[in-house]
Amino acid sequence: MGGERIAIVGAGCTGLRLRTPEASFRELVFQAAQKAYADAGVRPQEVSAFVSVAENYNEGAAIADEYVPDQLGAVLKPVHAVAGDGITGLASLVMQLETGQLDIGVIEGHSKASNVLHPAHILALALDPIYTRPLRFHPHYVAGMEMRAFLAATGNTQEQAALAAAQNRKNALANPLAAYGASLTVEQVLASPPEAEPLKLGDIAPPADGAVVLVLARESMLGTLKGKPVFINGIGWSQDTPNIEDRELHRAAYAEQAAQMAYRMAGISDAASQIDLAEVDDTFSYKELQHLEALGLAPPGQAGNLLEAGVFSPQGRLPVNVSGGHLGCGYAHEMSSLRSVLEVVLQLRGEAGARQLPGARVGLAQSWRGIPTASGAVVVLGRE
Amino acid sequence: MLRPEQKQDLPVLRQVQGEIPISHRYTLGVAGERFFKAMRDQRQLLASPCPKCRDLLLPPKAYCPRCFVATAEAWSPLTGPGFVRGFTVVHRDLDELPLAAPEIVALIGWPEVRGGLVHRLQEVEPQQVALGMAVEPVWATQRTGCLADILHFRPAANH
Ligand SMILES: [Zn+2]
């Protein structure tokens, strides 16, 4: 990147859980913010830029970002709401700090998925109101069609997608922040009820509640902060057409584009050999395989084979979703990908506990905005 | 201060419930108006041609999103059957309840167009559906100019 570098200097997370009936979303964010500020060694008064990512319908409120300031210590401060996934919001914060006008920035993401009583109805509101929504299908049909197209075009198999689900659920057992750790076999995933064939229930990341707050700073501020810095070496984002009919169903073109943008910035020419670990969107099991190929972390058609060969396991050459991913941690709306970033930060700092990978220096986190979108973002993080 | 036993006697006050009544109008636009009128009046599917890349766009648009130019005035009716570009079999409804009979959803393309239509596929068993399969629309008798003017698609006769 040109100019001064930007680092993540603090991270806080509530942990993800199936339900949080005792705490409001604001209290969850407050908890995460307290941890993040303590981690960075900052007071909210010292923060000059705040970013929030949330979707109104999931919040059950109009202009929901207006509810952001109090629980972050951001009252009468510049708050920027980003209608996008967590890493897209992170990109916005990075750009604000890169102006040189602001020193320390904070991003928050949260999920109170357990309070969304009719999630499929809300997701259906994202479908085109004239050409697709009138069919009144459960919106998971988009994932089912994509999955079939992806498997058919690349030669990856349904069993390999199920293995991604089983592996991530297993990885989550070593992550105290994860809500859905489990010992599952491929056969058990394949035997789960069909949702939108070939997609099964076991291929779908189940919902979770929680909050993540990250503190960022310009490099020149690092001397005054106690947090161990992890540098944002590259970041990119991309958005495909909203029309399902107009896309190549099998391909995650948005992830290819976002990765190219982030790699260019980070000076990455061969991602598969230069990245030490990756947290890749696995909202649906096949998405992990599709995204790995789009990110250049697996050659076309080879993600499933490399997964079977153990390349992406915690002991493998390129550990993927060692946190458990969304399948193992839980899908937490826009917060999901900030949780992915958090995992890379912990790994690069050497603070990932039982799941710590040895010697990780460069990590990648990738987001997808979910059904029915074809947009997402990529961030490359480094110890230096 | 409440003693612990008094606390337990309190009713649970963990949440309130709310509803969001949302009704909205969605303007079809110049292109949508012409598309749905042709469905209603001629039982025809129209595609709009881009003067630059020469692609035929379905659903038709007033502009080509790739070339960023207005599409040409002379729209072409699709002739011949479509084909299955993608499909799935859905098992639950929007309330997450199991469907009495699973339904086939297909993305249908035509050889000459960029794009396609998402619709239900019927008169065929899920196991018999394959990518590339030729399909045709089944038109409603009473048509009002909307997506439901096509009841569903089915395997094309003579294919
Ligand atoms: Zn064009």
Side-chain angles (χ1 to χ4, degrees), chain B residues 23-81:
Chain B
S23 302
H24 204 83
R25 267 202 303 255
Y26 301 96
T27 306
L28 298 178
V30 175
E33 183 90 10
R34 191 168 163 190
F35 177 63
F36 285 114
K37 267 192 181 145
M39 282 176 60
R40 184 189 64 189
D41 301 338
Q42 277 96 42
R43 294 199 298 186
Q44 261 182 2
L45 292 169
L46 296 182
S48 64
C50 170
K52 205 165 168 190
C53 67
R54 305 280 165 195
D55 281 352
L56 277 175
L57 311 182
L58 180 75
K61 296 168 188 68
Y63 45 83
C64 173
R66 287 197 193 159
C67 306
F68 200 66
V69 293
T71 46
E73 259 309 300
W75 287 12
S76 313
L78 301 182
T79 55

Side-chain angles (χ1 to χ4, degrees), chain A:
Chain A
M1 282 191 264
E4 206 175 332
R5 296 198 301 165
I6 310 297
I8 296 176
V9 295
C13 179
T14 58
L16 287 90
R17 279 184 287 155
L18 279 68
R19 298 188 304 126
T20 49
E22 74 290 354
S24 71
F25 84 89
R26 297 189 224 194
E27 291 161 345
L28 293 176
V29 172
F30 179 66
Q31 285 172 32
Q34 275 185 310
K35 290 182 185 174
Y37 297 162
D39 185 37
V42 298
R43 292 175 301 123
Q45 293 85 345
E46 297 167 297
V47 177
S48 40
F50 294 84
V51 168
S52 164
V53 283
E55 297 286 346
N56 282 355
Y57 286 149
N58 285 331
E59 301 296 306
I63 325 181
D65 55 278
E66 287 292 321
Y67 289 94
V68 166
D70 301 37
Q71 57 273 20
L72 282 175
V75 175
L76 287 174
K77 292 275 196 167
V79 177
H80 182 71
V82 174
D85 65 72
I87 298 178
T88 302
L90 186 69
S92 161
L93 184 58
V94 168
M95 289 187 285
Q96 291 186 46
L97 294 173
E98 279 185 329
T99 64
Q101 301 300 307
L102 306 158
D103 295 327
I104 301 173
V106 161
I107 180 166
E108 74 88 20
H110 62 269
S111 165
K112 199 69 174 166
S114 66
N115 277 355
V116 182
L117 302 183
H118 305 285
H121 282 274
I122 289 188
L123 208 49
L125 291 174
L127 294 169
D128 185 287
I130 295 167
Y131 293 102
T132 49
R133 202 196 300 165
L135 295 166
R136 293 191 55 78
F137 283 122
H138 193 300
H140 279 165
Y141 84 79
V142 181
M145 285 202 309
E146 259 192 27
M147 181 176 185
R148 184 187 304 278
F150 168 71
L151 298 180
T154 61
N156 286 292
T157 66
Q158 190 170 359
E159 289 71 23
Q160 291 169 334
L163 176 61
Q167 178 167 308
N168 292 352
R169 298 288 297 271
K170 184 177 166 213
N171 287 353
L173 288 171
N175 184 356
L177 299 173
Y180 291 98
S183 262
L184 280 184
T185 62
V186 168
E187 290 69 34
Q188 283 171 310
V189 176
L190 292 172
S192 62
E195 174 76 355
E197 294 177 42
L199 189 77
K200 309 265 179 144
L201 218 49
D203 291 306
I204 305 172
D209 293 358
V212 168
V213 171
L214 301 175
V215 183
L216 276 68
R218 291 197 284 137
E219 193 170 15
S220 57
M221 296 299 295
L222 295 183
T224 69
L225 300 166
K226 82 171 183 42
K228 209 188 278 183
V230 166
F231 291 95
I232 294 176
N233 291 334
I235 194 159
W237 61 97
S238 181
Q239 192 158 355
D240 203 343
T241 171
N243 308 322
I244 296 160
E245 324 73 74
D246 288 346
R247 296 181 203 150
E248 290 182 272
L249 271 186
H250 66 277
R251 199 172 146 213
Y254 56 90
E256 295 169 18
Q257 298 289 319
Q260 287 316 311
M261 184 172 166
Y263 292 164
R264 202 162 51 235
M265 224 178 265
I268 301 252
S269 52
D270 177 15
S273 70
Q274 288 174 277
I275 306 265
D276 298 324
L277 80 143
E279 288 284 310
V280 170
D281 179 278
D282 62 336
T283 303
F284 301 101
S285 62
Y286 75 93
K287 276 289 184 187
E288 173 172 307
L289 304 179
Q290 187 193 39
H291 287 148
L292 283 169
E293 295 182 8
L295 298 170
L297 299 178
Q302 291 305 310
N305 292 338
L306 295 180
L307 179 75
E308 280 179 339
V311 170
F312 304 130
S313 77
Q315 297 76 33
R317 180 171 54 74
L318 172 50
V320 169
N321 290 332
V322 67
S323 69
H326 304 334
L327 280 154
C329 291
Y331 177 73
H333 296 156
E334 284 64 42
M335 165 199 155
S336 303
S337 58
L338 292 179
R339 202 243 355 114
S340 310
V341 173
L342 172 94
E343 177 67 16
V344 177
V345 168
L346 294 176
Q347 291 287 350
L348 295 182
R349 285 171 160 195
E351 295 172 0
R355 62 190 190 287
Q356 179 63 50
L357 303 168
R361 307 186 71 80
V362 179
L364 174 148
Q366 179 250 340
S367 61
W368 169 50
R369 205 178 176 185
I371 282 176
T373 81
S375 42
V378 170
V379 61
V380 177
L381 298 157
R383 275 212 309 232
E384 56 273 316

